[in-house]
């Protein structure tokens, strides 16, 4: 009976039929007026339920097929694409094989919602030594440095006991002013350097007026009149231009780490690694600077450890490794050692 009703309401055709109906048994899973393409052989499997729906709904009308196969009698044996067969059969046999419901993560299940704790190998290494980053002018920092040097290098103990405490106090000044002063003091006796620096400041107006624009306004001839060589005038102008071009600034210099300071400041003509090291120790008061190119420090290490020859930079790094993170203070005592021997001027 159901098959007869279906025949009355549906035109038999060997080609796939296109339906637009919300009344098919599986239509609650599809949007309204969703189109389905079915062959006739698949339609007959719907049984009475499909026929009843088609009889009770006069709007269920088939559309004209787009093409006719050459052999209509064999069309009912044409297999559906595997994907369509699985979809339809799963809907028709919904009661026998219900679709598994999607699993919703349980908010109480910590294995799903909460990442697992890192393994010991992934955890940060908290056993690494803490590197000092405090300037040597901070209260108590010198005491920490001396205690560390005494315990890490017994050869320094007698040297520390026989000399005054190190002092790194200096008048705070902007980096640009300190760097210009460093250039002017190069390869000059202290008294001569002080006289030239004083005349240079007067030419600019005052120390607060030693700024890039004012330095660029002074030509080489004016600088030569106050005892500054043509080469040093070039160095001063290059430093001022680096500031004007944005390569350097007072704020960026104060925020740089030790490695960046060496890299950036040595871009300026006339400022080498030794000049940067001196600036870091005596202007920025960095605690862990080892001036491997300084003759006084090299001679001090040679004498302290009884070396036959002056240590090379790499040897200096290896020998003074134990001084970290207070190599600046250890270097200061190397100057005091050689000063007592009359080999170097006071640093």
């Amino acid at each position: 009976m159901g098959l007869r009703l279906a025949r009355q309401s549906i035109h038999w055709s060997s080609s796939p039929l296109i339906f637009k109906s919300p009344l098919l048994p599986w239509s609650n899973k599809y949007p309204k007026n969703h189109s389905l393409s079915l062959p006739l052989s698949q339609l007959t499997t719907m049984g009475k339920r499909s026929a009843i729906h088609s009889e009770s709904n006069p709007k269920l009308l088939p559309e004209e097929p787009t093409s006719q196969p050459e052999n209509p009698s064999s069309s009912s044996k044409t297999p559906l694409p595997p994907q369509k067969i699985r979809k339809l059969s799963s809907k028709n046999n919904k009661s026998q094989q219900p679709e598994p419901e999607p699993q919703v993560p349980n908010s109480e299940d910590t294995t799903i919602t909460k990442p697992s704790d890192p393994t010991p190998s992934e955890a940060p290494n908290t056993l690494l030594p803490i590197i000092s980053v405090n300037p040597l002018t901070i209260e108590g920092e010198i005491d920490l440095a001396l205690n560390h040097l005494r315990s890490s290098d017994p050869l320094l103990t007698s040297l520390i006991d026989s000399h005054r405490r190190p002092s790194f106090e200096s008048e705070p000044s902007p980096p640009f002013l300190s760097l210009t002063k460093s250039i002017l003091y190069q390869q000059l006796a202290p008294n001569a350097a002080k006289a030239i620096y004083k005349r240079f400041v007067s030419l600019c107006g005052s120390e607060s007026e030693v700024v890039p624009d004012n330095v660029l306004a002074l030509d080489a001839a004016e600088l030569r009149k106050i005892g500054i060589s043509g080469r040093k005038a070039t160095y001063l102008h290059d430093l001022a231009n680096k500031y004007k071009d944005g390569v350097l600034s007072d704020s960026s210099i104060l925020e740089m780490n030790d490695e960046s300071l060496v890299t950036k400041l040595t871009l300026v003509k006339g400022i080498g690694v030794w000049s940067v090291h001196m600036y870091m120790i005596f202007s920025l008061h960095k605690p862990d600077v080892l001036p491997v190119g300084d003759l006084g420090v090299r001679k001090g290490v040679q004498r302290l450890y009884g070396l036959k020859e002056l240590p090379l930079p790499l040897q200096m790094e290896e020998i003074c490794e134990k001084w970290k993170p207070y190599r600046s203070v250890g270097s200061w005592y190397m100057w005091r050692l050689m000063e007592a021997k009359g080999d170097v001027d006071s640093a």
Side-chain angles (χ1 to χ4, degrees):
M1 178 62 179
L3 185 59
R4 187 180 299 115
L5 289 173
R7 287 177 178 172
Q8 291 176 359
S9 59
I10 301 172
H11 295 286
W12 289 98
S13 174
S14 58
S15 59
L17 298 179
I18 302 175
F19 292 93
K20 294 182 178 179
S21 174
L23 299 176
L24 293 177
W26 57 85
S27 61
N28 61 336
K29 297 292 184 178
Y30 292 90
K32 189 173 181 181
N33 296 331
H34 184 79
S35 298
L36 294 174
S37 177
L38 303 174
L40 185 57
S41 59
Q42 187 64 34
L43 179 63
T44 60
T45 62
M46 297 181 199
K48 294 181 180 181
R49 188 175 179 182
S50 298
I52 290 171
H53 281 297
S54 63
E55 183 179 22
S56 61
N57 187 8
K59 295 182 180 180
L60 183 62
L61 298 176
E63 295 183 0
E64 286 294 329
T66 56
S67 62
Q68 294 290 341
E70 294 182 359
N71 188 4
S73 62
S74 63
S75 63
S76 61
K77 299 181 181 180
T78 304
L80 283 174
Q83 186 177 1
K84 291 185 178 180
I85 291 175
R86 285 196 299 271
K87 286 183 178 180
L88 292 173
S89 62
S90 64
K91 303 300 181 181
N92 286 331
N93 299 324
K94 191 173 181 180
S95 59
Q96 288 97 359
Q97 291 182 332
E99 281 189 25
E101 295 183 0
Q103 295 183 356
V104 180
N106 188 353
S107 60
E108 297 179 357
D109 188 355
T110 57
T111 61
I112 296 176
T113 60
K114 182 179 179 181
S116 59
D117 293 333
T119 60
S121 61
E122 295 174 348
N125 187 355
T126 57
L127 299 178
L128 291 176
I130 299 175
I131 303 301
S132 173
V133 293
N134 293 326
L136 292 172
T137 51
I138 297 296
E139 184 178 357
E141 198 67 21
I142 294 295
D143 291 329
L144 291 174
L146 297 181
N147 291 336
H148 172 75
L149 293 175
R150 288 175 186 274
S151 61
S152 63
D153 191 349
L155 292 177
L156 283 176
T157 302
S158 60
L159 192 60
I160 293 172
D161 293 339
S162 59
H163 289 83
R164 60 182 173 87
R165 284 171 58 89
S167 175
F168 294 91
E169 297 292 339
S170 63
E171 291 294 330
S173 59
F176 183 80
L177 176 63
S178 297
L179 292 172
T180 56
K181 187 175 182 180
S182 173
I183 291 173
L184 292 174
Y185 270 64
Q186 289 177 7
Q187 299 178 338
L188 291 176
N191 290 335
K194 288 178 183 178
I196 292 176
Y197 175 73
K198 186 177 180 180
R199 290 196 292 267
F200 172 76
V201 170
S202 298
L203 196 60
C204 292
S206 65
E207 283 193 333
S208 62
E209 294 178 282
V210 179
V211 294
D213 288 339
N214 289 343
V215 173
L216 289 173
L218 301 173
D219 58 25
E222 291 178 280
L223 294 174
R224 193 176 296 113
K225 290 179 181 179
I226 60 173
I228 298 175
S229 66
R231 179 176 295 180
K232 286 189 177 181
T234 301
Y235 298 163
L236 292 173
H237 288 156
D238 189 61
L239 173 63
N241 278 319
K242 290 290 190 296
Y243 266 73
K244 186 177 180 181
D245 296 340
V247 177
L248 295 173
S249 67
D250 284 352
S251 59
S252 66
I253 289 174
L254 294 176
E255 294 173 359
M256 289 180 190
N257 58 28
D258 295 358
E259 183 179 354
S260 298
L261 281 168
V262 174
T263 301
K264 290 290 189 178
L265 294 183
T266 52
L267 295 176
V268 180
K269 294 178 181 178
I271 296 182
V273 176
W274 180 86
S275 296
V276 177
H277 284 163
M278 296 302 104
Y279 171 68
M280 292 167 66
I281 294 174
F282 296 105
S283 293
L284 299 180
H285 311 124
K286 296 277 187 176
D288 194 35
V289 180
L290 180 65
V292 295
D294 185 85
L295 183 60
V297 176
R298 292 174 65 195
K299 284 185 175 182
V301 171
Q302 180 189 17
R303 183 178 294 274
L304 183 66
Y305 292 98
L307 304 178
K308 294 181 179 180
E309 298 179 354
L310 279 175
L312 298 174
L314 183 59
Q315 292 174 296
M316 292 281 292
E317 293 280 356
E318 294 174 352
I319 295 171
C320 302
E321 176 73 19
K322 62 176 73 73
W323 297 354
K324 287 184 175 182
Y326 294 106
R327 292 181 296 177
S328 298
V329 180
S331 300
W332 187 89
Y333 277 104
M334 295 302 99
W335 283 312
R336 302 290 77 79
L337 175 61
M338 299 314 298
E339 181 184 60
K341 303 296 180 182
D343 289 348
V344 294
D345 294 327
S346 299

